[in-house]
């Protein structure tokens, strides 16, 4: 055996997916990406993602979950948690005592939430105060076009849906920044302090009511316009969830169109293929469950996040209908925590350790553990479960790689994996590498996205 052959035989070297898969797979991946881009543009918030997935679920024959019903193999059900999270399930042929297969992704993304009392006027501009949601680099959110999404519950209890800044011709919003000519003082701040949280004020108006001079007439004019359009008054902001997100659309990136640039890849780039895999699975052996959850970016707390019991309760109802306790099902269950990892960045390579970092286009990334500072705050997947997932992917030539979130002690992060592990379920993170993660405009590879779909599909179709 010559040296190259021996290297091929013995050494581990992840390859560019296009070098490993057939041309037909690349064509399929490009087609799959078109549906994904459409989803990105129509589902920028957890509520919109829930709506979009729900509509698609109904088209695919899924019916609303009835917690008192006993389901049969092949049945397709959905459960919506408070409009912000959705579970899709396809009932398997095997009894629940053999466990279920769960793919868990999140549909919330870093953004700017409006404060409860957001509207004010300053120097004849009307502005919204915000409180950022999730881990953002605040300086990235100024001087870019922004849109406003969300819901307002009026005093009489009626709900108003808000979505402004997305349609052609819609007005947009913006946060100002200091011009470089006068930026000397600001330039002395550290990058993380370059823009402060209380400086993330969104400009929403500039013309006074009736062109009069007077106190707060620009604010009054904005309130009048909002009253005409939505029938709301200022106090209605107090019972609202309004989210400021980038007004960008998803685009192909690069001359070869191999990448997609968009807001919200984390974690729609896993949520979309996890949902599509649930729609594609027919008569599985094991019950297949896709959970698209909320609140991951703020620690999975709250009743729509995976630290709450809503997923466990859903499975408990399935168990109960079969005369079982939920733990009898969970202890035999397996999960792919479908979340992104950081893709190697050639420009900022110093924070990565190349042998244990995921790269764009090298397939789905398996993240054995997340956390920080000596593997704190992570469910570290077992060698046995890693081995099982690895065999599963290799069997179907699904391109995958291993990844750690940056160098040891460079930082860290977490996913929902540890909360699912707490339920006595085997779990590992499997997702898509993302460049510029948590930026208003993130980048992923079309081939990696498609490999995620193939991975979740294979996971749901295990024998
Ligand atoms: Mn994520
Ligand atoms: Mn994230």
């Amino acid at each position: 055996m010559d040296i190259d052959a021996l290297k091929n035989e013995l050494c581990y070297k992840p390859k560019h997916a296009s070098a490993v898969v057939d041309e037909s797979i690349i064509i399929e991946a490009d087609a799959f990406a078109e549906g994904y881009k459409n989803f990105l543009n129509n589902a920028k918030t957890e509520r919109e993602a829930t709506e979009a997935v729900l509509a698609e679920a109904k088209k695919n024959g899924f019916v609303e979950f009835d917690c008192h019903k006993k389901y049969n193999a092949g049945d397709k059900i959905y459960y919506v948690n408070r409009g912000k999270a959705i579970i899709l399930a396809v009932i398997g042929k095997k009894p629940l005592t053999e466990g279920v297969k769960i793919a868990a992704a999140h549909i919330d993304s870093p953004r700017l939430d409006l404060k409860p009392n957001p509207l004010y006027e300053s120097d004849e501009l009307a502005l919204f105060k915000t409180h950022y949601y999730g881990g953002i680099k605040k300086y990235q959110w100024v001087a870019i076009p922004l849109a406003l999404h969300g819901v307002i519950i009026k005093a009489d209890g009626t709900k108003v849906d808000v979505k402004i800044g997305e349609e052609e011709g819609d007005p947009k919003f913006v946060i100002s920044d200091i011009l470089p000519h006068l930026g000397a003082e600001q330039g002395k701040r550290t990058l993380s302090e370059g823009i402060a949280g209380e400086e993330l004020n969104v400009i929403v108006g500039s013309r006074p009511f009736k062109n009069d001079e007077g106190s707060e007439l620009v604010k009054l004019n904005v309130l009048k316009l909002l009253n005409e359009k939505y029938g709301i008054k200022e106090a209605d902001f107090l019972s609202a969830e309004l989210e400021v997100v980038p007004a960008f659309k998803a685009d192909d990136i690069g001359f070869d169109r191999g990448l997609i640039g968009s807001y919200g890849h984390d974690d729609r780039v896993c949520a979309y293929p996890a949902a599509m895999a649930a729609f594609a699975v027919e008569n599985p052996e094991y019950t297949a469950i896709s959970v698209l959850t909320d609140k991951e970016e703020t620690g999975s707390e709250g009743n729509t996040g995976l630290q709450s019991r809503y997923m466990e309760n859903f499975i408990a109802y399935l168990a109960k209908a079969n005369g079982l306790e939920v733990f009898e099902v969970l202890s035999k269950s397996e999960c792919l925590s479908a979340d992104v990892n950081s893709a190697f960045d050639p420009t900022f390579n110093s924070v990565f350790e190349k042998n244990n970092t995921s790269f764009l286009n090298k397939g789905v990334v398996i993240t054995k553990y997340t956390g920080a500072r000596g593997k704190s705050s992570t469910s570290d997947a077992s060698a046995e479960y890693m081995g099982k997932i690895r065999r599963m992917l290799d069997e179907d030539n699904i391109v995958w790689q291993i990844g750690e979130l940056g160098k040891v002690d460079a930082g860290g992060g977490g996913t929902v994996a540890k909360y699912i592990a707490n339920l006595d379920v085997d779990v590992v993170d499997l997702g898509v590498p993302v460049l510029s993660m948590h930026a208003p405009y993130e980048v992923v590879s079309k081939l990696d996205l498609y490999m995620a779909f193939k991975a979740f599909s294979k996971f749901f179709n295990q024998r």
Side-chain angles (χ1 to χ4, degrees), residues 39-156:
F39 176 70
L40 285 169
N41 292 338
N42 291 314
K44 289 192 176 181
T45 67
E46 60 282 3
R47 286 178 189 270
E48 289 166 6
T50 299
E51 285 277 311
V53 170
L54 174 61
E56 208 55 37
K58 286 177 179 168
K59 273 190 224 160
N60 281 276
F62 283 67
V63 297
E64 190 173 7
F65 178 54
D66 173 350
C67 65
H68 300 299
K69 197 176 157 186
K70 183 173 187 294
Y71 289 96
N72 301 311
D75 286 350
K76 300 177 175 192
I77 47 184
Y78 67 80
Y79 169 74
V80 174
N81 179 5
R82 297 167 172 86
K84 298 192 243 181
I86 184 167
I87 298 177
L88 306 166
V90 183
I91 306 301
K93 291 181 229 162
K94 290 184 192 284
L96 287 171
T97 45
E98 298 203 28
V100 298
K101 306 294 178 195
I102 306 164
H106 67 92
I107 47 178
D108 60 319
S109 296
R111 59 177 190 252
L112 308 176
D113 285 348
L114 294 199
K115 290 191 182 187
N117 184 22
L119 183 62
Y120 71 104
E121 177 169 340
S122 181
D123 304 286
E124 291 177 283
L125 286 176
L127 302 106
F128 279 154
K129 293 299 294 183
T130 66
H131 194 140
Y132 64 98
Y133 173 97
I136 62 165
K137 293 167 97 173
K138 300 179 196 86
Y139 71 84
Q140 294 178 333
W141 291 74
V142 299
I144 60 169
L146 299 168
L148 185 69
H149 295 233
V151 298
I152 302 168
I153 307 299
K154 294 200 280 189
D156 65 1

Side-chain angles (χ1 to χ4, degrees), residues 106 108 110 266-267 296-297 339-340 414 437-438 442:
H106 67 92
D108 60 319
D266 177 8
D267 187 30
E296 193 280 336
E297 294 296 357
D339 209 343
V340 301
M437 193 199 293
H438 284 204
E442 307 172 309

Side-chain angles (χ1 to χ4, degrees), residues 269-270 273 364 430-432 447-457:
V269 74
C270 299
V364 286
L430 182 147
V432 173
L447 285 170
D448 299 339
L449 163 70
Y450 192 54
M451 288 301 142
F453 170 67
K454 287 181 75 79
F456 302 137
S457 294

